[in-house]
Amino acid sequence: MSLLVVGSIALDTVETPTGRADEALGGSAVYFSLAASYFTDVMMVGAVGHDFPPEHKDLLESRGIDTSGLVHLDGKTFRWTGRYAENMNDRETLDVQLNVFDGFRPDIPEAFRGAKHVFLANASPEIQMHVLEQIESPEFVASDTMNIYIENELDALKRLMPRVHCFVLNDEEAVMLTGERSIVSAARAILDMGPATTIIKKGAHGSVMASQEDVFLLPAYPLAREIDPTGAGDSFAGAFCGTVAKSGAEFAGLRRAMAYATVTASFCVEGFSVDGFRELRRADIDERYEDFMRMTHVERVIG
Ligand code: AMP
């Protein structure tokens, strides 16, 4: 089953306590697609400018990602600049240049409109809705959001949420959206806004998935050395949706998808930009998955 993602394609400048990268490949759709490509076929829609280096597109295509929905517009590629604190979890956005992403209203290619699995990566909820309305009969829709849309476009976000099966966001955004400080209360408040499932990511502190019936928690995969967390959240979503596209969305399947998401995101953090994916093989993900299962397994106590 193939998976459609619509989101940003970026040139990121990132500073972390371990070093920096300048104008390196990034963007929500890029991280998502690379991670998802280990699990299913991926179709990507996004916009780049005349300055987008062709080797970046080659990398995506080398992972089998269908880039025919990538449009080249007259202007510069979206740029984001960020700096991470010593704890590697808190980050500050220093600069955003929307460039060709500004006002980009994606036209989904005819060949992609039959997609059954869709990820609406970070964009204004009005644009996310515009994308969703072009998909003929989606079976599983997941979406992301961010603080600026919670602050400025809350009504549009609340119209989108009931149309989404799985609403993914980070802990700060969850608190902002619901006013609830406890993650479990925030998750419940989000479910009341319409999605069947929500995932709240807590960076290095793991993630929580909740539906009306169940709550499931996982820690992050512990890394000896973190290099650059940029894109970890989008990589998490990519592996999650990729696993769902491949093996279904019943809750037990979603738990497995959470574990693959956690493990795949950890590879992203081990390099700047998309470097963690350049040499990565599916076997490496499976090996770390086994390791993660061992680390988190608890026997039931009887008697
Ligand atoms: P993550 O670390 O998973 O939250 O994803 C970071 C990626 O999101 C970076 O590669 C940025 O280029 C991209 N990004 C940052 N701000 C925005 C925005 N306003 N809209 C879309 N993508 C963004």
Side-chain angles (χ1 to χ4, degrees):
M1 285 277 209
S2 55
L3 170 63
L4 170 69
V5 55
V6 184
S8 63
I9 300 170
L11 296 176
D12 288 342
T13 296
V14 178
E15 207 180 301
T16 80
T18 63
R20 62 178 287 136
D22 287 278
E23 304 226 321
L25 178 59
S28 55
V30 167
Y31 284 110
F32 180 95
S33 299
L34 286 170
S37 71
Y38 290 89
F39 302 91
T40 194
D41 296 332
V42 183
M43 304 175 287
M44 177 182 185
V45 171
V48 295
H50 53 70
D51 53 355
F52 190 65
E55 62 268 25
H56 293 341
K57 196 170 162 207
D58 296 343
L59 172 73
L60 297 167
E61 287 170 358
S62 76
R63 289 282 330 137
I65 296 162
D66 185 338
T67 61
S68 58
L70 204 150
V71 291
H72 292 258
L73 298 177
D74 196 17
K76 291 173 96 179
T77 302
F78 172 78
R79 279 168 172 72
W80 174 79
T81 302
R83 181 167 56 211
Y84 286 83
E86 208 56 46
N87 65 11
M88 279 281 193
N89 224 23
D90 301 326
R91 84 172 169 209
E92 193 187 348
T93 292
L94 301 178
D95 188 36
V96 176
Q97 292 171 29
L98 291 173
N99 299 331
V100 295
F101 198 55
D102 194 10
F104 174 57
R105 283 183 79 75
D107 268 332
I108 306 304
E110 205 55 51
F112 290 2
R113 292 185 178 199
K116 296 293 173 214
H117 298 85
V118 181
F119 185 67
L120 307 168
N122 247 326
S124 113
E126 196 266 316
I127 295 288
Q128 290 174 314
M129 187 70 100
H130 169 72
V131 169
L132 190 52
E133 280 170 349
Q134 296 173 66
I135 312 303
E136 287 151 12
S137 51
E139 287 171 8
F140 182 84
V141 179
S143 81
D144 194 358
T145 194
M146 65 189 292
N147 52 4
I148 48 173
Y149 304 122
I150 297 171
E151 258 166 37
N152 304 326
E153 299 186 41
L154 190 56
D155 288 346
L157 188 61
K158 286 190 172 168
R159 279 194 296 278
L160 179 76
M161 287 171 72
R163 307 264 314 256
V164 164
H165 302 102
C166 183
F167 190 68
V168 184
L169 71 180
N170 71 31
D171 47 357
E172 272 177 33
E173 293 155 356
V175 171
M176 196 181 205
L177 177 60
T178 63
E180 297 284 352
R181 291 243 138 244
S182 128
I183 291 296
V184 173
S185 309
R188 292 207 194 294
I190 291 168
L191 293 173
D192 288 343
M193 295 178 192
T197 307
T198 184
I199 297 177
I200 303 179
K201 299 166 292 173
K202 301 186 294 163
H205 305 296
S207 54
V208 177
M209 174 170 68
S211 67
Q212 291 294 358
E213 303 77 40
D214 210 353
V215 175
F216 179 62
L217 322 169
L218 279 180
Y221 182 86
L223 290 173
R225 193 163 142 76
E226 294 172 4
I227 303 291
D228 173 17
T230 309
D234 295 312
S235 303
F236 181 102
F240 180 84
C241 293
T243 308
V244 171
K246 195 76 186 169
S247 27
E250 79 292 356
F251 204 79
L254 294 187
R255 288 181 175 219
R256 196 173 332 115
M258 281 271 283
Y260 270 118
T262 300
V263 164
T264 307
S266 73
F267 287 102
C268 175
V269 179
E270 287 183 307
F272 275 103
S273 174
V274 299
D275 290 353
F277 291 110
R278 287 186 194 278
E279 303 294 326
L280 185 67
R281 297 163 308 136
R282 174 61 195 255
D284 302 321
I285 296 177
D286 289 337
E287 197 180 313
R288 194 171 278 188
Y289 183 93
E290 287 302 316
D291 200 24
F292 190 54
M293 290 298 97
R294 272 193 298 277
M295 286 175 177
T296 52
H297 182 73
V298 184
E299 294 293 337
R300 170 173 285 147
V301 178
I302 301 172

